[in-house]
Amino acid sequence: MSNPPDPPQKSGYRRLLVGFNHQIESRTALDLAAKLAEAVQTELAGVFVMDQDLLDMARLPFTTEILRASRQTRNLDPAAIELELRATAELMQRRLRQLALRAHRQCSFRTVHGHLLRALMAQAEAGDLILLRQTDLPWPGGRQTVLAIDGPVMLMTPAAAGGDGLENLARQIAQVLQKTFIAAPMDTPLAKLSELRPGLVIAPADMFESSDDKAVERFTDAVRCPVLIAPV
Amino acid sequence: MTDRNVKHVKRVGALRAEELRRHCEAGCLSFASTAELADPEHAWGQERAINAIEFGADISREGYNLFVFGAPGAGKRNLVRQILERRAAKLPPPSDWIYVYNFAEPHKPNAIALPAGEGVRFHNAQMHMLEELRTAIPAIFESEEYRVRRHAIDEKVRESQESAFAVLDRRAAEKSIRVVRTPAGITLLPARGGELIKPEAFQALPENERQQIESDIQELQKEIVQTFESMPRVEKERRQALRELNREFANFAVREIIDEARAAFDGIPEVREYLDLMQADIINNVQIFTQSHEMQEASELPGGGQAGTGAGGAGPGDGLAQALLGNPFQRYETNLIVDNSGLQGAPVYYEAKPTVQQLVGRVEHIAQMGALLTNFMLIKAGALHQANGGYLLIDARALLSQPFAWDTLKRALWGREVRIESPADLLSMVSTISLEAEPIPLRTKVVLFGEAIIYYLLSAHDPEFQNLFKAVAEMEDVVDWTPESEAAFSRQFAAICRALGLRHLDPTGAGRMIEQVARLAGDAEKLSLHNGKISDLLREADYWAGKDGADLISAGHVQQAVNLREERIGRLRDRSLEAITRDIVLIETDGAHIGQINGLSVLSIGELTFGRPSRISARIGIGAGRVLDIEREVELGGPLHSKGVLILSGFLRERFGTEHPLALTASLVFEQSYGGIDGDSASSAELYCLLSAIAKIPINQSFAVTGSVNQHGEVQAIGGVNEKIEGFFDVCAKRGLTGRQGVLIPSANVKHLMLRADVVTAVYEGRFHIHAVDTIDRGIEILTGLPAGERQADGKFPEGSVNARVEARLRAFAEARKQADGGQSGNGESRARL
């Protein structure tokens, strides 16, 4: 039997920011975010992004929607889409509050319009941790978004100095989640990272400073696990 | 021993002091202390009951349950228990019983019998097995092998789906269409260079291009719908494959552990069958043992084996049972309701509170969220379970006073099975789903014990009773007072002292106890077998011996116990005596009066029994030959008293009414009697009183009289003779004994005399007298001092005799009546006929 983990220590990070929209397994993402917020003793901040592209394109007269459950088709109505997005946001907010209460964390919630990654980055403030996850495919039953931490906690070690705080954070999370801790240089090829099968990647914020959205998505898709971006 | 210890012959006349109380001479008891005496081998005087109990205990035929009856305190329960425990020790211990979960019908738990001692072993094995399973099953589902094979299933499905979606993706890309998720599904949107075409830009496209895009989207949409429609089948195949995988791994983990239990209980087919079902259920419900997300997913599939679904499908109470089981592993536990591992023989079980649930067991409930929940682990055994294979002792009165208990017991005996029922079930008050525990075969011999009246009432009013309780044992109340019984009682005293932790008795104490036991029997030739009262007297004598600082209980301590007990409970007796001595209740103990006599009665109130004199008076006149019983007229006289009065009327007719009609009317009354009177023990006194009134001869008021009379004028035995004599003696003693006072008793009661020492002493000193009489003539002579007179050859009584004076007065009445009726002869009855 393993020893019980030590009680979480306050990490010095202010908030854990988690974003979601109608496309992701938002409920599970929230669970994970709450668990990490408890592990690192931060506030929990949720950002629901209403997909502006979807709202715009719903105005096309011929657009139809194929419903996942019933496999029926129906015309895409902008008003109905917006209503459904708001309803999803409402459900997410309620869920966020429940989880934060259970984890004894303070929480906040915002709804914004835009693109998920960009909107999330725009909401981030200094001292925030940002939880990212791999992008979804539209197809139901296809590749599963991995949101359970089912492997070691991997730290992308920064090239520059000042990574001690990050390592402490990574080790703390690993201990609380009872996972092993591993480290990999930031310049490790994506294919190699994928082979390491991490359960959670902790990456310094400057790793993606010069990257575009596509690069971030490529990274999250390659590691196939949640990614926690932390300020150095 | 005195000459009183020989068998009585009929004794008539004034009794000597030594005839008034039988003594048990201490010299006849050959021990210094009852501590020297061994316990009696069997209950003395109960040989008939013992034989009957042994017969009832031994015979193993249907309906031969046993009813033991006798007076309260006779020691029925102890005697039965002793006999049955001796017999039970020679019998093998009966089976243990367990209740287990019924995997096919969860609301009907199954009962399994195991050899004695195996129940607890199986229970322990089951707990050990469960502990093993809780470790082994999660371990195997967390193994790398399982993960790999499960992943392979997922991958196969994923690849299948992704290849289909890849085709769609490629077709969409070829036609510049992007697939986008919506909150409820997906939509197809036009794109160019990977970016969506905004509505405004789309509207700006040429008409033919727009139509082409719309057409392409519609075409692709049809293909997507077709692909979607094939997905459930693929998903179903995945679930099936996953289920098979889970079963394979679960079976691997479970089989080995359960096989150990199978081997350990190989000789019990019911256990083997249960273990097979348990194994199948665990495999079907393996998610109980794993809390992983993946397993839960598999279990939620249709037909995937919900908890509570047995191998044979869901039962009617399945959902309920599952809801009740807060602990999901409890279904694999055992409820050991009868554990005979500690028994050396068959059980002898006494149920002190024979309610329905105490008899047949019960299903307990737990209140949770306002609902009453239960499961098979809450089944509790009843007395019939505990006594199964042995003997169950029940007090009949207690049984009959419990609602439905008697019917429930009969049903169990008829059906030869114990079926758990609640009073609510029996009243059909509750119709909610509850547990129906499988009945357990019953092989218990039920022994009821109670008073004779209960036995006779059940025999008379319950036609099933005789068929279910064919063995009957009746306890004796008394036993002959013989030298053998004196020895036996001494041993019995020794046993009681040992059992109760009392001081032992010296020979004087034992002798005095025996005398008191005879007094309890109300008979100088019998000893009471009322163990309860004997034990109480010993306890109290021990108390006084303790106060006295004595090591042994002696005669004085026993006497002190008797005296002080009577004093403690004697308040009413003293008030009654006081009422007489203060002349509130008029009783004369000196002088002589016509038509007035002292009768004697016995009052019993609670534990107190005492004798009390009552004045009886008679008044006569010319009439139709009727004796008026005033007590009866005002409905204070019971039927036996009325019978006595009618009998004395018969005596008068036979002796004085054959030559001429009885032109007499007479009234008889118990003076100052305000309660009911019953019994015929005063009928001789009433007859004496009537004769005195008719003959105008005074009766000596120094005497009191008891005894019933028959139509031939013979005085017959009555009950309570000792108390009656002592009651009149107390009145006389209180006023001062004159040496003329005494009591007339039937000679048949002489053998019952066990009088108090002060009465015996007074008689010995000539200050009080007890006369045994056998006829009315003898009694009237003592009471009047005149000869009764026998009818002579001329048909007449001797001049001056009581009978002559009675006949002369009656003749005069007849003449007067004849004249009053105008010369017609006959009595009122003949006139009525005319």
Side-chain angles (χ1 to χ4, degrees):
Chain A
M1 262 178 83
S2 58
N3 292 325
D6 292 335
Q9 301 290 317
K10 196 159 178 63
S11 60
Y13 297 98
R14 196 170 75 82
R15 300 189 305 173
L16 190 143
L17 203 60
V18 58
F20 30 76
N21 61 13
H22 68 276
Q23 293 197 21
I24 67 165
E25 301 295 338
S26 302
R27 186 175 286 255
T28 318
L30 263 181
D31 291 348
L32 174 62
K35 193 182 288 183
L36 289 173
E38 189 178 13
V40 297
Q41 297 285 286
T42 63
E43 287 182 31
L44 186 58
V47 179
F48 185 85
V49 182
M50 298 182 75
D51 191 332
Q52 192 56 53
D53 284 346
L54 182 62
L55 289 170
D56 290 342
M57 298 306 287
R59 286 188 282 121
L60 284 171
F62 58 86
T63 49
T64 53
E65 183 182 23
I66 305 167
L67 300 174
R68 270 197 301 272
S70 65
R71 297 182 288 281
Q72 302 294 309
T73 57
R74 68 176 184 185
N75 289 330
L76 205 57
D77 174 18
I81 289 291
E82 180 151 5
L83 198 61
E84 286 173 4
L85 287 175
R86 289 191 186 285
T88 307
E90 175 66 26
L91 288 173
M92 289 303 105
Q93 184 176 9
R94 201 178 300 166
R95 176 75 179 162
L96 178 79
R97 282 181 182 154
Q98 287 174 351
L99 290 169
L101 193 65
R102 204 177 297 163
H104 304 291
R105 302 286 86 208
Q106 288 192 327
C107 71
S108 59
F109 186 86
R110 294 193 68 175
T111 302
V112 297
H113 285 70
H115 181 267
L116 178 63
L117 189 56
R118 283 195 292 272
L120 195 57
M121 292 300 184
Q123 293 296 320
E125 298 173 6
D128 282 352
L129 298 168
I130 304 169
L131 181 63
L132 301 180
R133 25 146 314 282
Q134 65 190 118
T135 55
D136 298 299
L137 289 178
W139 307 108
R143 185 186 70 196
Q144 299 289 306
T145 305
V146 178
L147 287 168
I149 299 177
D150 196 14
V153 174
M154 185 170 77
L155 173 68
M156 305 306 295
T157 50
D164 290 351
L166 266 190
E167 184 172 337
N168 290 340
L169 173 71
R171 286 186 182 279
Q172 182 180 343
I173 292 173
Q175 187 190 17
V176 172
L177 301 181
Q178 293 186 284
K179 300 292 177 187
T180 53
F181 167 79
I182 60 174
M186 274 174 44
D187 54 358
T188 307
L190 291 182
K192 180 69 176 172
L193 288 177
S194 180
E195 287 173 10
L196 290 172
R197 292 196 174 191
L200 174 71
V201 170
I202 296 173
D206 55 7
M207 182 172 171
F208 301 107
E209 264 178 3
S210 56
S211 306
D212 59 9
D213 292 353
K214 294 290 181 190
V216 175
E217 285 178 1
R218 276 199 299 278
F219 179 80
T220 56
D221 289 350
V223 295
R224 297 197 64 189
C225 72
V227 176
L228 192 64
I229 298 173
V232 178
Chain B
M1 282 203 278
T2 68
D3 57 353
R4 270 297 312 273
N5 293 335
V6 297
K7 195 84 177 170
H8 277 285
V9 293
K10 196 163 187 179
R11 182 71 172 85
V12 178
L15 300 178
R16 300 191 310 277
E18 57 269 28
E19 294 176 285
L20 305 182
R21 179 184 180 88
R22 181 172 173 181
H23 292 279
C24 178
E25 300 300 335
C28 298
L29 302 174
S30 55
F31 53 83
S33 159
T34 51
E36 302 165 13
L37 305 178
D39 287 358
E41 286 150 14
H42 64 270
W44 182 257
Q46 300 291 4
E47 289 76 11
R48 188 207 315 260
I50 291 169
N51 289 337
I53 293 167
E54 288 183 339
F55 165 77
D58 203 33
I59 187 168
S60 53
R61 297 291 176 189
E62 189 176 353
Y64 277 88
N65 295 292
L66 180 61
F67 197 107
V68 182
F69 66 90
K76 299 181 286 295
R77 194 173 79 202
N78 287 340
L79 178 63
V80 168
R81 194 160 202 153
Q82 283 169 11
I83 295 171
L84 295 183
E85 281 176 351
R86 274 202 300 272
R87 301 192 72 80
K90 297 173 189 165
L91 298 173
S95 301
D96 293 342
W97 282 94
I98 58 171
Y99 269 107
V100 294
Y101 190 78
N102 182 339
F103 298 106
E105 293 180 280
H107 69 299
K108 293 182 175 177
N110 289 327
I112 297 177
L114 297 105
E118 292 293 286
V120 69
R121 198 167 75 85
F122 182 69
H123 176 76
N124 292 339
Q126 184 88 333
M127 296 308 288
H128 176 69
M129 188 162 55
L130 197 52
E131 200 178 304
E132 291 277 302
L133 289 168
R134 291 179 71 170
T135 307
I137 292 176
I140 204 162
F141 280 95
E142 286 169 8
S143 67
E144 193 61 26
E145 183 187 351
Y146 176 79
R147 284 172 184 276
V148 167
R149 290 184 58 183
R150 164 143 197 169
H151 186 67
I153 292 170
D154 289 341
E155 280 297 298
K156 184 180 173 188
V157 173
R158 186 179 65 80
E159 283 174 9
S160 161
Q161 290 181 336
E162 282 193 354
S163 68
F165 292 136
V167 170
L168 293 172
D169 273 336
R170 197 163 52 245
R171 295 286 301 274
E174 286 168 5
K175 296 177 182 295
S176 295
I177 296 169
R178 241 178 88 178
V179 182
V180 175
R181 264 201 185 188
T182 63
I186 59 171
T187 186
L188 304 178
L189 298 173
R192 179 171 292 162
E195 295 297 322
L196 294 172
I197 303 174
K198 297 287 180 188
E200 296 75 15
F202 182 82
Q203 294 300 340
L205 292 173
E207 173 69 22
N208 60 341
E209 195 173 341
R210 290 204 308 269
Q211 286 179 349
Q212 182 60 45
I213 289 172
E214 285 182 36
S215 168
D216 289 344
I217 284 177
Q218 284 172 1
E219 191 179 332
L220 186 58
Q221 192 171 283
K222 284 179 188 169
E223 290 180 36
I224 290 173
V225 168
Q226 284 172 358
T227 303
F228 275 16
E229 284 177 347
S230 70
M231 283 172 56
R233 180 183 50 78
V234 175
E235 186 60 28
K236 188 177 175 185
E237 287 170 0
R238 184 184 83 90
R239 290 196 298 257
Q240 182 61 33
L242 199 56
R243 193 155 47 236
E244 290 301 322
L245 178 69
N246 289 343
R247 290 179 63 85
E248 180 189 333
F249 274 75
N251 191 41
F252 180 71
V254 171
R255 192 184 56 224
E256 189 176 345
I257 294 170
I258 293 186
D259 276 351
E260 278 182 40
R262 277 198 190 92
F265 297 92
D266 190 42
I268 308 171
E270 292 84 1
V271 170
R272 286 185 63 86
E273 188 182 341
Y274 166 71
L275 290 173
D276 290 346
L277 292 171
M278 177 180 164
Q279 180 172 337
D281 190 76
I282 291 174
I283 291 168
N284 280 335
N285 298 285
V286 74
Q287 78 283 351
I288 292 175
F289 292 85
T290 63
Q291 294 300 316
S292 70
H293 172 77
E294 292 85 352
M295 293 305 302
Q296 290 290 352
E297 182 190 2
S299 73
E300 286 163 8
L301 306 176
Q306 289 273 349
T309 302
D318 187 61
L320 171 68
Q322 177 57 22
L324 297 180
L325 298 174
N327 171 8
F329 302 107
Q330 209 170 45
R331 62 198 285 158
Y332 304 119
E333 293 179 9
T334 55
N335 182 0
L336 177 61
I337 64 159
V338 179
D339 176 12
N340 289 325
S341 58
L343 283 183
Q344 299 300 321
V348 178
Y349 192 90
Y350 169 63
E351 178 53 61
K353 188 186 173 193
T355 62
V356 170
Q357 295 192 327
Q358 290 291 100
L359 283 175
V360 297
R362 63 193 184 280
V363 177
E364 294 186 336
H365 293 74
I366 296 172
Q368 190 175 328
M369 308 283 284
L372 291 174
L373 309 181
T374 188
N375 66 23
F376 75 101
M377 293 297 287
L378 294 175
I379 296 172
K380 304 294 176 190
L384 285 167
H385 294 106
Q386 301 291 357
N388 207 359
Y391 302 98
L392 174 59
L393 280 58
I394 306 174
D395 184 302
R397 185 181 288 273
L399 177 71
L400 293 169
S401 66
Q402 293 294 338
F404 305 111
W406 173 237
D407 283 340
T408 301
L409 177 65
K410 285 194 297 181
R411 214 163 24 249
L413 292 174
W414 278 125
R416 301 170 86 173
E417 63 179 23
V418 194
R419 183 182 293 275
I420 296 177
E421 298 169 305
S422 72
D425 295 336
L426 297 169
L427 283 169
S428 301
M429 285 172 65
V430 178
S431 58
T432 51
I433 297 173
S434 188
L435 290 185
E436 291 176 33
E438 183 183 0
I440 286 178
L442 179 64
R443 291 190 307 108
T444 301
K445 170 111 27 191
V446 175
V447 181
L448 291 181
F449 46 87
E451 297 147 50
I453 185 69
I454 294 177
Y455 175 78
Y456 294 128
L457 284 173
L458 284 171
S459 299
H461 297 292
D462 189 337
E464 293 174 315
F465 173 68
Q466 296 279 13
N467 290 326
L468 286 173
F469 288 85
K470 294 178 181 174
V472 181
E474 183 174 6
M475 302 285 286
E476 294 287 356
D477 296 333
V478 293
V479 64
D480 287 345
W481 184 351
T482 64
E484 292 77 22
S485 58
E486 286 178 356
F489 268 76
S490 298
R491 290 173 70 183
Q492 179 67 16
F493 299 152
I496 294 172
C497 290
R498 267 192 284 274
L500 300 180
L502 308 177
R503 288 169 185 78
H504 278 275
L505 299 103
D506 69 12
T508 66
R512 182 66 191 86
M513 276 296 300
I514 289 171
E515 292 169 17
Q516 190 59 27
V517 170
R519 172 67 189 244
L520 283 176
D523 195 323
E525 295 176 353
K526 300 283 182 184
L527 296 174
S528 169
L529 291 170
H530 198 296
N531 281 334
K533 288 184 178 173
I534 292 171
S535 298
D536 287 347
L537 184 56
L538 280 173
R539 285 187 184 96
E540 291 173 24
D542 172 74
Y543 173 81
W544 294 115
K547 287 278 184 191
D548 204 21
D551 293 331
L552 294 173
I553 300 170
S554 66
H557 302 130
V558 176
Q559 190 59 51
Q560 194 174 6
V562 172
N563 292 346
L564 293 176
R565 182 181 183 81
E566 287 185 1
E567 186 180 314
R568 284 197 303 277
I569 64 174
R571 193 187 69 84
L572 279 177
R573 179 198 58 210
D574 292 348
R575 293 290 82 78
S576 171
L577 181 60
E578 185 184 70
I580 293 171
T581 54
R582 292 177 64 198
D583 294 330
I584 297 167
V585 173
L586 300 178
I587 298 292
E588 292 189 33
T589 52
D590 206 356
H593 286 285
I594 294 169
Q596 176 179 309
I597 196 167
N598 295 320
L600 290 168
S601 57
V602 173
L603 274 71
S604 290
I605 303 167
E607 285 187 69
L608 176 65
T609 300
F610 64 97
R612 188 183 67 170
S614 298
R615 175 182 289 178
I616 300 170
S617 62
R619 288 293 178 265
I620 60 164
I622 299 169
R626 183 182 174 216
V627 177
L628 184 67
D629 177 6
I630 292 178
E631 303 299 332
R632 186 186 178 193
E633 294 298 315
V634 297
E635 296 182 350
L636 284 175
L640 292 180
H641 180 258
S642 301
K643 179 185 174 187
V645 173
L646 292 173
I647 286 172
L648 70 87
S649 303
F651 167 80
L652 287 177
R653 272 197 301 275
E654 191 274 337
R655 179 165 286 189
F656 303 110
T658 54
E659 297 296 322
H660 52 80
L662 281 177
L664 168 77
T665 183
S667 61
L668 283 168
V669 67
F670 272 68
E671 306 283 359
Q672 293 183 288
S673 166
Y674 307 109
I677 289 173
D678 203 5
D680 63 352
S681 70
S683 59
S684 67
E686 288 167 326
L687 183 52
Y688 294 135
C689 189
L690 196 55
L691 293 174
S692 163
I694 296 169
K696 291 188 179 174
I697 301 172
I699 286 177
N700 188 345
Q701 300 297 305
S702 301
F703 288 104
V705 175
T706 184
S708 68
V709 66
N710 65 20
Q711 293 192 109
H712 304 291
E714 294 168 330
V715 177
Q716 304 166 137
I718 45 78
V721 66
N722 292 302
E723 289 81 2
K724 287 174 177 172
I725 293 171
E726 288 165 359
F728 189 64
F729 174 82
D730 287 340
V731 173
C732 296
K734 198 82 175 175
R735 287 177 171 166
L737 294 173
T738 61
R740 295 183 296 277
Q741 292 146 333
V743 178
L744 271 62
I745 63 168
S747 57
N749 280 118
V750 174
K751 61 176 73 71
H752 299 136
L753 293 177
M754 282 299 294
L755 288 167
R756 285 192 331 236
D758 56 343
V759 182
V760 176
T761 302
V763 171
Y764 178 77
E765 293 171 351
R767 294 184 292 123
F768 196 71
H769 309 278
I770 297 170
H771 297 272
V773 299
D774 54 356
T775 62
I776 286 295
D777 288 340
R778 177 65 192 132
I780 198 72
E781 286 176 353
I782 295 170
L783 292 169
T784 61
L786 295 174
E790 283 188 35
R791 199 178 286 281
Q792 297 173 331
D794 60 359
K796 295 182 179 174
F797 290 104
E799 190 72 23
S801 67
V802 176
N803 285 332
R805 292 173 69 168
V806 170
E807 189 167 55
R809 187 88 188 276
L810 290 174
R811 190 182 298 278
F813 278 9
E815 288 299 323
R817 176 74 186 268
K818 187 176 176 182
Q819 287 176 9
D821 290 345
Q824 290 184 358
S825 62
N827 55 26
E829 289 171 358
S830 62
R831 285 197 296 116
R833 281 197 297 273
L834 291 170

